[in-house]
């Protein structure tokens, strides 16, 4: 087993390389009826822990109001997390002119591809290089607000929903160049 905690890039092509990653979670929920079961309140909470990230909490709550057999109104607030995959954290794949790498520890002194191209096409003018750094990858988080109505009007069935999501730390990809200038 190779200790990977201090390395910024791990060559995952090393034979016998073992990467371990422990995570666990705990979930609890509660539901209660009010007003002779016409109003339902639900709440839940989940706590997740991955060895590479802090504790994460994802609560949720909803209220469902059923004033008649034909009408249902609902409001919910929820949240969720997605831990980065092992590839997101540790990948190191050399494809020749490029390397696809994970981001468990972040990166310093990368250069934008556009500025590298501009430097090369302007006679190797290093003044046009634009550098940036990347923070280590973090778990993706989303919070959601949902409003909904379901009902029947004569023979017309309606089920309408509105929702809005707020994302934090969206897991995607970033392109940068690591240069020796």
């Amino acid at each position: 087993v190779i200790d990977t905690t201090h390395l910024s890039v791990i060559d995952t092509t090393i034979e016998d390389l073992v990467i371990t990653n422990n995570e666990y979670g705990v979930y609890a929920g509660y539901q209660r009826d009010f007003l002779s079961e016409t109003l339902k309140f639900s709440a839940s909470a989940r706590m997740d822990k991955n060895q590479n990230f802090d504790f994460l909490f994802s609560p949720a709550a909803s209220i469902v109001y059923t004033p008649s057999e034909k009408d249902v109104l609902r409001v919910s607030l929820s949240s969720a997390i997605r831990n980065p995959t092992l590839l997101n954290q540790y990948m190191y794949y050399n494809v020749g002119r490029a390397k696809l790498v994970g981001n468990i520890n972040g990166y310093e002194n990368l250069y934008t591809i556009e500025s590298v191209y501009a430097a090369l096409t302007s006679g190797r003018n290093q003044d046009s290089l634009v550098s940036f750094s990347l923070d280590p990858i973090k778990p993706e988080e989303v919070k959601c607000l949902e409003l909904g109505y379901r009902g029947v009007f004569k023979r017309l069935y309606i089920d309408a929903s509105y929702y809005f999501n707020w994302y934090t730390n969206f897991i995607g990809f970033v392109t940068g160049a690591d240069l020796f200038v």
Side-chain angles (χ1 to χ4, degrees), residues 69-72 149-158:
E69 289 183 14
K70 295 181 176 185
D71 299 297
V72 178
Y149 171 79
R150 186 177 67 224
V152 178
F153 294 99
K154 297 186 184 186
R155 295 184 343 196
L156 178 63
Y157 176 77
I158 297 174

Side-chain angles (χ1 to χ4, degrees), residues 77-94:
L77 293 166
S78 60
S79 59
I81 60 107
R82 179 172 72 104
N83 279 317
T85 66
L86 289 177
L87 284 175
N88 296 140
Q89 297 175 57
Y90 296 106
M91 178 170 54
Y92 181 84
Y93 186 55
N94 187 342

Side-chain angles (χ1 to χ4, degrees), residues 129-145:
L129 290 174
V130 177
S131 68
F132 68 97
S133 297
L134 284 177
D135 291 332
I137 196 167
K138 295 178 182 175
E140 183 176 291
E141 300 179 58
V142 63
K143 292 176 181 34
C144 181
L145 166 67

Side-chain angles (χ1 to χ4, degrees), residues 58-139:
S58 47
S62 68
I63 297 173
V64 178
Y65 179 55
T66 311
S68 70
E69 289 183 14
K70 295 181 176 185
D71 299 297
V72 178
L73 296 162
R74 64 188 182 279
V75 175
S76 69
L77 293 166
S78 60
S79 59
I81 60 107
R82 179 172 72 104
N83 279 317
T85 66
L86 289 177
L87 284 175
N88 296 140
Q89 297 175 57
Y90 296 106
M91 178 170 54
Y92 181 84
Y93 186 55
N94 187 342
V95 293
R97 295 179 65 177
K99 293 178 185 163
L100 306 174
V101 295
N103 185 18
I104 190 65
N105 294 315
Y107 291 93
E108 300 275 330
N109 301 320
L110 293 174
Y111 296 91
T112 65
I113 300 301
E114 297 81 13
S115 73
V116 170
Y117 180 76
L120 291 173
T121 58
S122 65
R124 300 192 183 273
N125 180 1
Q126 293 182 12
D127 294 338
S128 61
L129 290 174
V130 177
S131 68
F132 68 97
S133 297
L134 284 177
D135 291 332
I137 196 167
K138 295 178 182 175

